[in-house]
Amino acid sequence: MTGNGRDLRALFSSNDRRVEAAEAFTNRQGQWDLVQSALGEHLARTGAASFDVEDLEAPRTNILVFHGVGGIGKTTFSRTLEAALASAGERPARWGEPAWPARPALLPVRIDLARSAGTDFERIVLTLRLALAAHLGRPLPAFDIALRRYWEHQHPGESLEEYLNRGGLAARFGKALPQQVQSVLSDVAQALLLPGTVGTAVGALTGALTTALRERRQTVRALAACHRLADLLDAEPDLDALSYYPHLLAFELARLPADQAVVPVVLLDTFEDTGTRTHRDLERLLQRMVWLMPNSFFIVTGRGRLQWADAALEGQLDYTGPTAWPGLAGQAIPGPRPGGSTAASGRQVLIGDFTPEDCTDYLARRLTREGQPLIAPELREVIAEQSHGLPLYLDLAAHRFLELHRGGRTPSADDFGTDFPALLTRTLADLTPDERHLLRAVSLLDAFDLPLATATAGLSHLSAAARMVERPFVRRDDFALWPYHLHALIRSTLRTADDATDDRWTDADWTRAASRAFAALGAQWQVAPGPDRRLLVGCLRQGLALARDHQLGLDWLTDAAFAYTDDYVWEPLPLPVRDGADERIATAADALAELLSALARRQHEHRSTTVSRLTEVLDSHLLPAELADLALYYRAKAHRDLGQAEASREGMSRVADGGGRLAPDAARGLAHLARVSGDFPAALATARTLGWPGRGNRVLGDIHFAHGDLAQAATAFTAARTEAEQHGNRGEQAIAQANLALTYAFTDPDRAGEEITLAEHLLAGLDQRATALTVQVAALARQAGTLSTLDEARTLRTEIHEAGITAAQVLLELALVFHHAVTGEQDKARAAIARLTELTRTGDYRYCVDAAHHMAGLRMPEPSAVSWLDGPDTVRAHWHDLVQARREQLRTQP
């Protein structure tokens, strides 16, 4: 049913006769009726004798838009339309026979604009031309000549046929297009009496053709009828020019014989992926195509309405305003119009939920008085946000507004801060008892699959869950970890609204369901066939929320927390804020959630903030001993990053002495602290005991690097990377690779470029701030002796300072000393050494000050306090030789 009119309930809710209310309803039958009506109007208009395909100023009504939030069947509807327009046998029987004539034929061409489809504008144009090639079996000369010229310029050395085969377009539409294009070129060459092979002289041919067109020669009379062809052939054949070539397609379609006449119906799906409200590059090209092909019809499906009729977009798009696009101008209420509507309305059709813009528009037009919105703009924004796009909520909100309004006061945002029990009643009304039980159960979950839903509900069979997920309030995302989730407002209402139904749940029922959901999540993670980071993080997020909100024990969350930290990936673990609840740490789940959040957020916060957050967790005394060790260990790491060695050593010693899961990591931490303090014999002795659990090879690499023995350092870091790869630990692999890249940055710039690229690849998708900073320092050190400006170094210094990572600050200054030593800029080298000395005034990283003096060839101001493994002379020679080697590399470069 489709329709719109007065809201009689609202009419009889107020004595104020000036208040007007309107309603809108929609379903698929009504949308098909609209397609029929719009297509019929289009065919009648383009078939009229007065229609001129080359009129570039007439308003455009060759478009129909279906829009709505994700997961409501827009893509399915687009595909169904494509099938229904292509073949009567594919059309749903209930839709009935269309009213349009047999000629001209309709040619549906569906194009998926989703980012995952990788569709760019060039592919869109080729798809349309290929569909016409397959349907017509004949060239379209004006367009094909321009296309060939464009192709030769943009794809030199690559034939059109090869491109179509590789991209899958030839398999979809056949291989007729290259032959048709070649046929056109041959015909034109013959008409112009051009010698030689056309394929090698496209530029000469189009140049000669342009001249002939401007001279109106008889031999090109047919092409001369296209008044703008010569101008397009004169233009630079770039993407912008390609976006005007659809005008040539429209011209060719308009002059087809009556028995071959065809009207392309182009279905553009997932239109929201063409860009954003501020980046409209692809949208601009698509709008130009629609405008330049007035004899074709376009059906757009996407999440939001097209704004082309908004005059404020002038400058962002070529053709804007209600005069240009009368069918896209604002409607009385977002939604479809009856099949017999005029072209000036109903061309933007809402499917399912409203977008945020449509919510506020709906509320503005739902209730009016003397033509003005009854609900104030600020309140419309509040209600729209509360609705999550659900039309039913907006309808209920409009009636609540009227009830409050007739009481003589102006409704405020506080009046809409709770959910409507009516939503719950209407949602549960037609469900079976099992489905009602399931719906309440899955409202505890952010997302679910059938087994998880069934286990949470405590049922023994999947059939009820399989039925429930077909309901319209369940959304599906096949690419998500768990494919199903409830409509946000329905979920919120189930959990917070007053439940007056006969089978409502008690508090004990909710707790038991939460316990089942928690156990089911743990089971899914524990029985997974292999390491699955995505599953781990998903189970942690949902499990932590359930344990926190329902006071459950930690159980499997302990093992999951250690698994989360083992890989050094650090995905964020945001939990929803509890409504009206105290956010202080009150339970073990609260403490664990804060611990893991602090570890993830430390990649984006100053390390002093990390120390404060972990101290709060430890002071709560709510975590079991092994998880308290986790907080203590990472607080000690943060202390080390801040240059607070004694605090770090105290924490690391406590964890190492405890002998728990993190004892090897703490031992590595103590080895690092020994190195940082300059006690290399102690660091080496510990490193040799660490093995893979303590990442021994990485520690050895750090020790060799400090000595300037970069060959051994590279060997150790390579071994560390290999071990990490063998153990499937991508986070550790990225750390080792970053250190390897830094090592080569001092010895082999060419090799360093390759290693830096690999490090950046391994870091993609990880959240390792310190490691990423190491790679940035490596990129700087690689350019030592060739840096033309230090702006990049200054920017990096600021970024490192904001992170509060002393080791990265030291490495940056060491890299700058290396650069200045290579270029012989002693004053600048001394300035960098001064900064380095200031950074190491506590005694930590003093060995870097020694290395900096050695590179710059400067005498140490006082005897070194560092306990070197090979003696200071060997270390001095290593660092000094690096500078000499870099100078020689630069001298011998061509």
Side-chain angles (χ1 to χ4, degrees), residues 306-324:
L306 290 189
Q307 296 178 297
W308 298 354
D310 185 353
L313 291 184
E314 183 177 358
Q316 294 188 60
L317 301 175
D318 289 353
Y319 313 97
T320 57
T323 302

Side-chain angles (χ1 to χ4, degrees), residues 854-874:
H854 300 332
M855 284 193 291
L858 299 174
R859 184 183 299 275
M860 295 282 294
E862 57 187 29
S864 173
V866 177
S867 299
W868 297 105
L869 297 175
D870 303 325
D873 293 339
T874 302

Side-chain angles (χ1 to χ4, degrees), residues 590-671:
D590 287 334
L592 180 55
E594 175 63 11
L595 166 59
L596 296 181
S597 174
L599 297 186
R601 285 296 305 164
R602 73 195 179 104
Q603 308 302 325
H604 307 280
E605 296 174 340
H606 196 277
R607 287 299 197 262
S608 60
T609 302
T610 304
V611 169
S612 297
R613 295 182 67 178
L614 293 179
T615 298
E616 184 182 4
V617 169
L618 288 166
D619 289 348
S620 73
H621 302 294
L622 291 168
L623 290 176
E626 55 186 342
L627 285 174
D629 271 359
L630 188 64
L632 185 59
Y633 169 73
Y634 277 100
R635 187 178 68 172
K637 284 193 68 174
H639 278 307
R640 188 184 75 205
D641 288 339
L642 291 167
Q644 299 167 359
E646 286 307 312
S648 179
R649 188 174 289 107
E650 189 272 337
M652 292 292 183
S653 297
R654 285 173 56 188
V655 176
D657 293 345
R661 296 195 205 194
L662 291 174
D665 298 86
R668 179 178 73 251
L670 291 171

